[in-house]
Amino acid sequence: GEHGTTYVVATGCDKHYAFEKLDIAAVQFNSVPTYQRIVVGKNDAGLDSLTYTACDTNGRVLDAFELVNDKGE
């Protein structure tokens, strides 16, 4: 996968503001309240990982990713 910094910005309320789509953002949602699940632990391969999942208010997954420490550090 790609290496670098991952930034997550989310809002979980019903009040939304207009925004311009940013070319640097991989995923963006406008006027959609979300909640986030972050799990830190071992993944199915037994490696240390952080799993991020963003869902809408109905529980539908909108975006997800996993960061894996495969270097054992």
Side-chain angles (χ1 to χ4, degrees):
E2 293 183 31
H3 296 129
T5 304
T6 300
Y7 295 95
V8 175
V9 178
T11 176
C13 62
D14 291 333
K15 189 173 186 178
H16 301 284
Y17 300 95
F19 72 92
E20 291 183 30
K21 183 158 176 56
L22 300 173
D23 293 336
I24 62 171
V27 177
Q28 291 184 10
F29 300 101
N30 191 6
S31 300
V32 177
T34 61
Y35 68 90
Q36 291 69 44
R37 286 190 310 249
I38 298 174
V39 178
V40 177
K42 303 279 186 189
N43 65 8
D44 293 341
L47 298 172
D48 293 330
S49 67
L50 179 148
T51 303
Y52 171 91
T53 307
C55 300
D56 67 12
T57 55
N58 295 316
R60 182 174 63 112
V61 174
L62 301 174
D63 189 26
F65 63 83
E66 180 182 44
L67 302 177
V68 178
N69 178 3
D70 58 359
K71 299 193 183 333
E73 300 172 359

